[in-house]
């Protein structure tokens, strides 16, 4: 049992390594919560399948429904609920990665620029210096709070729809002006920002109110090679 | 009733396979399939199961 658990953890680590950065972040000897969630989900899903197969065979052999009733209750109601819940947990977490955002070919130039150490785009500077540790696309393109997360997920589903149906034009453009609050959420209270003369007085008021954009001075956010 | 239960098992198995695909590899495509296909399949399996149980109850009551 323990061996199976270790093997499962190894398998999930292999998948995580495939998706993750080239230099692994420190995570301790026992793996991350995400890896355990993934392993648990895979294990429960496989158990669910085994139970369904056993129930099928029970019915096929002419066994009474009462005899396989327990398996049906577990396999058709309880375990699917748990697997779906774990799927949500793992899916939401996994969709926040840069690899996931770059999954659509239309985003490839932007992800290539983001991860290019030679790029001087604002996003690339944040990425190469690890100002943001992980999930860089998601962190900068989602608003704060629970509704910010929900809105980002809904926008993501909409993007998939556009991608699948081809309902977009190139070059793609950001749907709405980039709000300063996403920059100020991290930089707003930093000493570098507060002590900067360029950010003082009227400028700070304008930045906080949103009448001036951070990108007015700090553009371009992205500088994909195709556009350079 | 057995046919309904078998159908429920097949539908649930298809839904679980899509869940496993998402758990093995998260992409927008697998998550989209999970949201749009897997969950309705699992719900359909549950509904079929519930119908089979209700039919069984009705049959026993009639007997």
């Amino acid at each position: 049992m323990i061996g199976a658990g270790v093997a499962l953890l190894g398998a999930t680590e292999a998948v995580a390594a495939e998706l993750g950065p080239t230099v692994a972040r420190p995570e301790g000897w026992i793996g991350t919560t995400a890896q355990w969630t993934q392993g648990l989900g895979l294990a429960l899903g496989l158990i669910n399948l085994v139970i369904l197969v056993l129930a099928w065979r029970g019915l096929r052999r002419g066994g009474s429904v009462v005899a396989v009733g327990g398996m049906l209750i577990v396999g058709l109601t309880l375990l699917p609920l748990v697997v779906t819940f774990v799927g949500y947990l793992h899916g939401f977490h996994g969709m926040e990665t840069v690899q996931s955002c770059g999954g659509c070919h239309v985003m490839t130039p932007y992800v290539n620029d983001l991860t290019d150490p030679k790029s001087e785009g604002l996003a690339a500077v944040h990425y190469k210096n690890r100002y943001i540790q992980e999930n860089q696309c998601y962190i900068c393109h989602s608003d704060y709070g629970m509704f910010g997360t929900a809105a980002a997920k809904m926008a993501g589903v909409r993007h998939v729809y556009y991608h699948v149906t081809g309902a977009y034009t190139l070059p793609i453009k950001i749907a709405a002006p980039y709000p300063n609050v996403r920059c100020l959420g991290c930089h707003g209270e930093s000493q570098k920002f507060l002590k900067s003369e360029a950010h003082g007085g009227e400028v700070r008021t304008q930045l906080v109110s949103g009448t001036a954009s951070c990108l007015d001075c700090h553009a371009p956010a992205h500088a994909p090679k195709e556009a350079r | 009733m057995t046919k309904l239960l078998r159908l429920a098992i097949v539908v649930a198995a298809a839904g679980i396979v899509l869940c496993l695909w998402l758990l093995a590899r998260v992409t927008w495509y697998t998550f989209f399939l999970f949201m749009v296909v897997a969950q309705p399949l699992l719900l359909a399996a549950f509904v079929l199961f519930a119908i089979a149980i209700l039919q069984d109850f009705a049959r026993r009551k009639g007997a």
Side-chain angles (χ1 to χ4, degrees), chain A residues 5 27 87 163 223:
Chain A
E27 58 188 39
H163 182 69

Side-chain angles (χ1 to χ4, degrees), chain A residues 21-69:
Chain A
T22 49
V23 178
R25 295 190 63 201
E27 58 188 39
W29 66 273
I30 201 165
T32 63
T33 309
Q35 288 166 350
W36 277 94
T37 306
Q38 184 185 27
L40 178 72
L42 286 169
L44 291 176
L46 290 172
I47 290 170
N48 199 158
L49 278 183
V50 169
I51 288 173
L52 290 175
V53 169
L54 290 175
W56 175 275
R57 290 177 68 175
L59 288 172
R60 199 176 177 185
R61 286 176 182 167
S64 69
V65 174
V66 178
V68 293

Side-chain angles (χ1 to χ4, degrees), chain A residues 23-207:
Chain A
V23 178
R25 295 190 63 201
E27 58 188 39
W29 66 273
I30 201 165
T32 63
T33 309
Q35 288 166 350
W36 277 94
T37 306
Q38 184 185 27
L40 178 72
L42 286 169
L44 291 176
L46 290 172
I47 290 170
N48 199 158
L49 278 183
V50 169
I51 288 173
L52 290 175
V53 169
L54 290 175
W56 175 275
R57 290 177 68 175
L59 288 172
R60 199 176 177 185
R61 286 176 182 167
S64 69
V65 174
V66 178
V68 293
M71 283 193 280
L72 289 173
I73 290 171
V74 173
L76 292 175
T77 60
L78 299 179
L79 272 181
L81 267 178
V82 179
V83 171
T84 303
F85 178 72
V86 177
Y88 263 112
L89 284 181
H90 184 66
F92 276 151
H93 180 78
M95 280 197 311
E96 293 170 2
T97 61
V98 172
Q99 287 80 5
S100 179
C101 296
C104 298
H105 63 81
V106 74
M107 294 306 300
T108 304
Y110 296 90
V111 173
N112 286 345
D113 170 63
L114 177 76
T115 54
D116 180 3
K118 292 176 184 168
S119 173
E120 289 302 320
L122 193 61
V125 170
H126 279 74
Y127 184 87
K128 65 186 170 188
N129 293 308
R130 289 296 188 275
Y131 294 151
I132 302 166
Q133 287 293 307
E134 57 188 357
N135 305 338
Q136 288 83 357
C137 306
Y138 178 78
I139 297 290
C140 285
H141 286 279
S142 64
D143 287 320
Y144 293 92
M146 187 175 74
F147 290 109
T149 303
K153 303 300 182 194
M154 289 307 295
V157 173
R158 201 168 61 244
H159 292 161
V160 171
Y161 170 76
Y162 290 149
H163 182 69
V164 170
T165 58
Y168 60 89
T169 53
L170 294 173
I172 57 170
K173 291 176 182 172
I174 193 163
Y178 193 85
N180 291 344
V181 69
R182 291 181 188 166
C183 306
L184 297 175
C186 292
H187 295 282
E189 295 297 319
S190 75
Q191 289 300 303
K192 191 175 179 183
F193 174 82
L194 293 171
K195 288 182 177 175
S196 164
E197 288 182 14
H199 296 145
E202 182 63 21
V203 173
R204 185 175 305 168
T205 308
Q206 289 176 345
L207 288 173

Side-chain angles (χ1 to χ4, degrees), chain B residues 20-31:
Chain B
L20 285 171
W21 193 8
L22 172 81
L23 285 159
R25 190 174 181 85
V26 181
T27 67
W28 275 109
Y29 302 107
T30 55
F31 193 79

Side-chain angles (χ1 to χ4, degrees), chain A residues 201-216:
Chain A
E202 182 63 21
V203 173
R204 185 175 305 168
T205 308
Q206 289 176 345
L207 288 173
V208 171
S209 67
T211 52
S213 170
C214 299
L215 291 170
D216 289 344

